[in-house]
Amino acid sequence: MSTITEPRITQIGKELKGALVERIDRKLGDLTDIFHDKGALHQLPPDRVIYEVASYFPVQHDTEGGLFYGITYIHPGVVGNEYFMTKGHFHRVRNRGEYYFTMEGEGMLILMDEQRKTWAEKMYPGSVHYIPGHVAHRTANTGDTVLSFSAVWPSDAGHDYATISEDGFSKILVSQDGIPTLIDNR
Ligand code: S6P
Ligand code: ZN
């Protein structure tokens, strides 16, 4: 028997291919708690897809020592003056870090520590982002085309969405005269 095999997944450009790739989408109706302008939100259809994620989970969730891989595709658009963005989360095991690598489009990686200090890094093709443990992370598409980035994170990291769903980030990213700007979340 040959000991040389095909890889279990491949990435052609920005497309992840393979039988074990799992895909989810997040629609506006799943994200009503994250956007502030509820009037603008209700002008848009709840089944509008805001982002999609293709992931490869080669080991069981919560396995210590494993790694997961995924690609996120955020569509361009705004709700009021807020860019289309991900839910955002802390890792449930707080000290677990993550890498992001941008493939196409323009965006912003919004980061917040446990003291609720918020800052952001610009994302563009080739940008590499190290997200330390204990830091919540959310991405927003600030351009006119799809923002695609890959991520690598520990298989035992888990996701805490509830903290962000309840309290948000301390700053929100809005378009001010077409410029992405972080302002206080009041
Ligand atoms: C997982 C990693 C990404 C996000 C994806 C969607 O730890 O950070 O794969 O899951 O970008 O964001 P969210 O906040 O909806 O999980
Ligand atoms: Zn994460």
Side-chain angles (χ1 to χ4, degrees):
M1 193 179 98
S2 171
T3 53
I4 297 175
T5 65
E6 291 294 320
R8 289 205 278 172
I9 57 167
T10 56
Q11 186 176 317
I12 311 296
K14 56 178 182 140
E15 293 302 325
L16 208 51
K17 293 185 191 298
L20 300 172
V21 174
E22 295 183 27
R23 293 167 208 281
I24 56 156
D25 57 37
R26 296 280 182 230
K27 300 186 171 79
L28 202 55
D30 305 320
L31 303 169
T32 51
D33 51 340
I34 68 169
F35 292 106
H36 287 74
D37 187 338
K38 302 301 179 200
L41 184 70
H42 291 120
Q43 299 293 310
L44 295 167
D47 61 353
R48 172 96 175 256
V49 174
I50 305 301
Y51 62 98
E52 296 159 70
V53 187
S55 304
Y56 176 48
F57 305 118
V59 294
Q60 296 281 317
H61 288 269
D62 299 332
T63 302
E64 189 180 331
L67 293 170
F68 290 156
Y69 184 77
I71 302 181
T72 302
Y73 310 91
I74 310 180
H75 296 278
V78 287
V79 177
N81 62 2
E82 254 182 310
Y83 301 99
F84 284 4
M85 61 183 170
T86 59
K87 285 185 188 200
H89 57 268
F90 283 99
H91 290 154
R92 184 173 40 72
V93 179
R94 283 289 193 274
N95 68 4
R96 300 305 196 248
E98 184 160 5
Y99 271 107
Y100 282 178
F101 171 72
T102 312
M103 289 174 295
E104 62 169 4
E106 270 175 54
M108 208 69 84
L109 168 61
I110 305 159
L111 300 158
M112 181 177 76
D113 68 18
E114 289 175 301
Q115 288 68 49
R116 297 188 57 74
K117 180 183 154 223
T118 297
W119 69 103
E121 291 181 8
K122 289 182 183 174
M123 300 176 79
Y124 47 79
S127 69
V128 178
H129 306 271
Y130 174 63
I131 302 165
H134 300 276
V135 171
H137 37 288
R138 161 181 283 165
T139 45
N141 184 343
T142 59
D144 300 326
T145 57
V146 173
L147 170 69
S148 306
F149 63 91
S150 59
V152 178
W153 69 102
S155 48
D156 63 350
H159 294 96
D160 167 13
Y161 290 108
T163 301
I164 297 301
S165 171
E166 284 158 25
D167 303 332
F169 282 62
S170 65
K171 291 183 189 290
I172 61 174
L173 186 74
V174 296
S175 169
Q176 282 190 346
D177 300 325
I179 312 246
T181 310
L182 272 183
I183 61 167
D184 285 342
N185 179 11
R186 296 175 192 287

